[in-house]
Amino acid sequence: MHFFEHRDGELYAENLRVTDLVEEFGSPLYIYSAKTFRRHFEAFDSAFSGLDHLTCYSVKANSNLCILKLLADMGAGMDIVSGGELHRALAAGVDPSKIVYSGVGKRAYEIEQALAADILMFNVESLAELEKIDEIAGLVGKTARISLRINPDVDPKTHPYIATGLKKAKFGLDIESSLEGYKKAKELKHIDPVGIDCHIGSQLTSIDPFLEALDKIMAFRDKLTAMGLDIRYLDLGGGLGITYDEEEPPHPSAFGEALTQVLADQSLKVILEPGRVIAGNAGIMVTEVLYTKGGETKEFVIVDGAMNDLVRPSLYDSFHRIGEVTPKGRPERVVDVVGPICESGDFLARGRTLPGVGSGELLAVYSAGAYGFTMSSNYNSRPRAAEVIVDGDQAHLARRRETYEDLIACEKGCLDSM
Ligand SMILES: *Cc1c(COP(=O)(O)O)cnc(C)c1O
């Protein structure tokens, strides 16, 4: 069952016509399917029903408040990477005892904020951070539950920008330093080392790297147990890939089964941090064709959505399927789909075979639910797009389109002081 599909020659988001949504909310427009979010979360979470586990959705994939609320209502915890994401999660009503905090550069005020909220644990990425958390916890009279993020030196075979578990990555601690780290954690007064954490990368299309990492971590856990540490949590991060084009990533049920086999009798609470696999294919970005032009060697379809709205093609050279909202059956041609931004790197697709399209027609950019809106910016002073959540035959405006006033709001004070 797909919730973005054509019926009678028109693209629908659940029960609503995409054309109607754009008429109401404008273009470019992010459209999310609530039922797809729910189905993806349910499929992922139930894959681990054989284990004591907590699924902490990775907020950075899609951090819209109503999306967080939708998932929290299903029992999701959250994986955050900043104080801003903590603020969002709490505003959406997420239970702080289900929040884990990852990231290499947590600032003092963010650590304080997370301690005040009494989150489940910090995933600590350096010895310096460990000391900082201990110091702050001491000052505010709390004990911080922590995991150390271990970098198992496993190749996830994904795009280098989203491979995080190799030795050369900035993330986590190698196994030797981690042992030092846990010795230190044991001594520090305001630190309670309760878990082990690892996240090796994103958009993984095979289970093997996960199992390889898990193997190293379980061996490492034995060492910690021998040191007298009571490790109760095992956080395996996120990273399960999705189909953008022709990838065939494992289904969450296969992923869950493989991990369950290794972890069934381990008396550990397993934490998972899926982002892309929940959100990626639960959203599209719709964009309107402004102009077409035939260059000498190339043909361009110029659309109103740009790299500031969806940066993945420009940043990772990633593929997003693009199709007509209202297919008209015209002959295909090979085109670059580009935005209005003054950068040659501003494209949504290059060398793409698409039916001929004309001004005013709508294109759907698929698989845009994760790392789409959250990575958007105001480059070229473009107000950011609106986000709409469709649930059956209801459309909820999840984020209004930014206005020109929004663009200058944080700068206007300067006009008076200069
Ligand atoms: C980005 C991130 C995730 C989510 O990754 P996906 O590939 O979207 O599942 C999970 N954990 C951490 C620590 C991350 O940085």
Side-chain angles (χ1 to χ4, degrees):
M1 175 77 194
H2 290 284
F3 294 109
F4 295 105
E5 62 180 10
H6 283 90
R7 286 181 230 152
D8 305 323
E10 274 282 342
L11 182 63
Y12 276 75
E14 300 197 13
N15 298 336
L16 298 181
R17 275 169 26 137
V18 166
T19 310
D20 293 340
L21 291 168
V22 171
E23 198 155 294
E24 184 171 356
F25 300 107
S27 171
L29 182 66
Y30 274 95
I31 303 175
Y32 308 129
S33 156
K35 289 196 194 332
T36 310
F37 264 96
R38 292 195 193 99
R39 187 189 62 191
H40 288 173
F41 181 79
E42 171 60 26
F44 191 94
D45 194 53
S46 64
F48 293 88
S49 55
L51 294 173
D52 182 14
H53 77 284
L54 176 63
T55 303
C56 290
Y57 167 71
S58 173
V59 172
K60 75 180 192 285
N62 184 324
S63 54
N64 185 279
L65 272 190
C66 278
I67 294 295
L68 301 186
K69 176 175 168 7
L70 177 155
L71 293 169
D73 285 348
M74 297 185 73
M78 303 277 151
D79 167 48
I80 58 166
V81 293
S82 72
E85 287 191 352
L86 176 57
H87 187 72
R88 280 180 178 278
L90 296 177
V94 177
D95 178 352
S97 72
K98 294 182 177 177
I99 293 178
V100 296
Y101 186 179
S102 310
V104 290
K106 302 178 189 76
R107 286 167 288 186
Y109 69 85
E110 293 175 309
I111 293 167
E112 226 178 291
Q113 185 189 349
L115 285 168
D118 204 19
I119 64 165
L120 175 57
M121 68 181 181
F122 293 85
N123 289 332
V124 176
E125 307 218 13
S126 65
L127 300 184
E129 183 195 334
L130 186 64
E131 285 171 7
K132 179 59 89 180
I133 294 176
D134 176 64
E135 177 195 324
I136 295 171
L139 286 173
V140 299
K142 296 220 173 193
T143 301
R145 288 172 294 274
I146 65 107
S147 289
L148 290 187
R149 177 166 173 178
I150 295 180
N151 186 334
D153 197 25
V154 165
D155 186 356
K157 304 202 168 57
T158 182
H159 189 284
Y161 287 9
I162 50 175
T164 55
L166 282 163
K167 239 183 188 149
K168 62 185 181 192
K170 70 175 176 178
F171 298 98
L173 292 156
D174 58 57
I175 290 210
E176 298 84 70
S177 317
S178 302
L179 201 58
E180 278 309 298
Y182 277 101
K183 276 185 194 145
K184 174 158 231 150
K186 211 178 151 197
E187 288 160 14
L188 292 171
K189 272 215 188 76
H190 311 285
I191 295 286
D192 183 10
V194 295
I196 310 180
D197 169 51
C198 123
H199 170 73
I200 56 175
S202 198
Q203 185 53 14
L204 273 69
T205 50
S206 153
I207 293 174
D208 296 343
F210 290 108
L211 291 177
E212 199 184 322
L214 183 56
D215 219 41
K216 293 189 176 182
I217 285 173
M218 292 312 285
F220 183 67
R221 184 216 182 193
D222 290 342
K223 286 194 193 166
L224 298 183
T225 307
M227 266 169 59
L229 280 175
D230 178 22
I231 297 297
R232 285 156 276 160
Y233 294 94
L234 174 58
D235 184 337
L236 291 171
L240 194 59
I242 63 169
T243 302
Y244 285 99
D245 186 9
E246 292 180 334
E247 305 92 332
E248 290 179 352
H251 189 271
S253 62
F255 181 57
E257 222 166 273
L259 296 186
T260 301
Q261 270 190 10
V262 182
L263 293 167
D265 309 314
Q266 290 292 337
S267 64
L268 282 167
K269 180 150 187 162
V270 176
I271 294 175
L272 301 137
E273 304 172 346
R276 190 186 309 271
V277 70
I278 308 289
N281 280 322
I284 62 174
M285 186 184 81
V286 183
T287 183
E288 184 181 323
V289 177
L290 300 174
Y291 308 104
T292 56
K293 75 172 178 183
E296 212 153 82
T297 52
K298 275 207 161 170
E299 220 175 299
F300 295 98
V301 173
I302 303 161
V303 297
D304 66 358
M307 65 187 285
N308 77 296
D309 300 300
L310 179 65
V311 77
R312 298 190 69 260
S314 307
L315 185 62
Y316 311 123
D317 206 17
S318 58
F319 178 98
H320 284 263
R321 196 157 63 80
I322 297 180
E324 293 163 287
V325 167
T326 312
K328 299 202 164 56
R330 287 158 301 198
E332 292 186 324
R333 46 224 309 165
V334 176
V335 300
D336 283 9
V337 180
V338 301
I341 282 185
C342 303
E343 299 266 352
S344 295
D346 177 30
F347 57 87
L348 297 177
R350 284 193 294 194
R352 187 67 60 86
T353 304
L354 274 184
V357 289
S359 299
E361 292 177 28
L362 297 177
L363 294 176
V365 183
Y366 292 89
S367 313
Y371 307 105
F373 186 87
T374 51
M375 295 180 93
S376 67
S377 77
N378 290 122
Y379 189 38
N380 277 210
S381 286
R382 291 166 50 86
R384 271 178 290 186
E387 295 174 285
V388 171
I389 300 174
V390 174
D391 195 357
D393 44 24
Q394 294 255 35
H396 305 274
L397 180 59
R399 192 181 209 271
R400 67 165 173 80
R401 186 173 302 283
E402 287 180 354
T403 64
Y404 287 153
E405 265 317 297
D406 291 330
L407 283 182
I408 59 172
C410 301
E411 299 163 32
K412 272 168 99 179
C414 175
L415 293 178
D416 301 324
S417 77
M418 286 263 299

